Amino acid sequence: MAIKNADRNFIERVFEEAYQKGLSAAPSGHKADYIPELAKADENAFGICAMDKNGEFVGIGDIDTRFSMQSISKVLTLSAAIEIMGFDEVFSNVMFEPSGDGFNSIVKLDTVSNLPYNPMINAGAIQIASMLADNVSFDNLLDFAREFCHDSKIELNEPVYRSECETGDRNRAIAYLLKSKGVLKTDIEKTCDLYFKMCSLNVTARSLAGMGLIISNDGVNPFTERRYISHENVRTLKSIMFSCGMYDRSGEFSVKVGVPAKSGVGGGIVCAARGPLGIGIYGPALDCKGNSAAGVAAMEHISSSLNLHIFD
Ligand code: GLN
């Protein structure tokens, strides 16, 4: 799907309809409050935008509002980890199976498997953070995030970061459990600190569209032609986003939307649609699984109207 001039009116109409569907769905959701700073978000905020490889852009609503990327950072850290350490090393420390459990669940990690189910849930991302912590600095990852999102203004959201540190005991518990099993081998506080910082990076829906575009464009920034992820690794990344990116709603999202995507409890969703087309969404009212309620409704409409389902 490219945003060609001939199709622009049609695409803009689809986005306007999706925006209305999202607005209608938003009241069924609630903003996250288990990280107190996230409860300050405006529950009515909503924005969707898309960017194609020619730089053509459509956007509607709150597409430049800053919010913390939260679990969407798991896409960045997985990308960095497989590029730096390689597939075999990464996936001997974390699996790639959908967990079917909540994003912060600890149950199967304790009772069923020693390795985290996948890198898109907290346990997996904490394991990835531990592997990165001794190999790369937060500043390097911040630069990576800025380039990957075409957004030099991405910064650490200090209040969200402090809030995560103060209330992150469940994540520390996951890290201690991983350490007790001999999987996590680095310092717990250093690992959690990197995980919390990455969750607290401030992005916009526009930056997420840029990120989705690089992923959908085989890991290459189409404007600079710089490759960030190898073809093999971006294929792995998209597969894991497709099967695990929307927590325990990933199956439903794959069936109804059919686009590799990742959500975060800050209200963001990044989608890497074919075309290549990057789609970024902000809507902090979350469904019971932790995905933007407005964003999921909007994506169902966009995907069916623009034939974006990968099996269409
Ligand atoms: N920082 C959040 C947490 O660790 C990220 C979770 C999410 O976005 N689902 O709980």
Side-chain angles (χ1 to χ4, degrees), residues 36 89 91 135 176-177 189 208 237 255:
E89 174 70 11
F91 293 105
N135 282 295
Y176 275 105
L177 186 57
E189 271 313 312
L208 296 181
L237 178 69
V255 170

Side-chain angles (χ1 to χ4, degrees), residues 217-279:
N217 194 44
D218 200 37
V220 176
N221 179 328
F223 312 122
T224 61
E225 296 189 354
R226 176 164 175 196
R227 177 173 286 283
Y228 289 90
I229 320 178
S230 72
H231 169 70
E232 290 75 20
N233 290 343
V234 87
R235 190 183 61 184
T236 301
L237 178 69
K238 281 193 280 195
S239 304
I240 293 176
M241 289 170 73
F242 192 75
S243 54
C244 310
M246 306 296 280
Y247 316 123
D248 42 339
R249 182 150 281 169
S250 298
E252 183 181 349
F253 192 86
S254 295
V255 170
K256 293 186 177 170
V257 180
V259 171
K262 181 76 198 90
S263 61
V265 292
I269 304 180
V270 58
C271 299
R274 45 179 195 192
L277 189 70
I279 301 176

Side-chain angles (χ1 to χ4, degrees), residues 140-184:
N140 288 148
L141 289 169
L142 176 59
D143 285 342
F144 181 52
R146 288 174 174 157
E147 290 194 26
F148 212 95
C149 294
H150 318 248
D151 180 358
S152 59
K153 297 206 176 74
I154 292 177
E155 300 281 358
L156 182 72
N157 182 325
E158 290 279 353
V160 169
Y161 166 61
R162 277 197 300 277
S163 201
E164 297 237 15
C165 291
E166 283 160 17
T167 59
D169 288 331
R170 193 177 177 88
N171 288 322
R172 291 188 184 91
I174 290 172
Y176 275 105
L177 186 57
L178 286 166
K179 190 152 198 173
S180 78
K181 288 166 175 284
V183 179
L184 190 151

Side-chain angles (χ1 to χ4, degrees), residues 23 26 43-46 49-51 96 104 110-111 113 175 211-212 217 220 278 287 290 292 308:
L23 285 183
E43 214 161 57
N44 298 315
F46 183 41
C49 56
M51 196 189 301
F96 25 56
N104 57 4
D110 191 24
T111 58
S113 157
M211 178 182 185
N217 194 44
V220 176
D287 65 18
S292 169
L308 296 180

Side-chain angles (χ1 to χ4, degrees), residues 117-136:
Y117 265 66
N118 69 71
M120 299 287 121
I121 54 172
N122 290 15
I126 289 167
Q127 180 61 27
I128 296 277
S130 94
M131 296 170 72
L132 285 172
D134 283 340
N135 282 295
V136 62

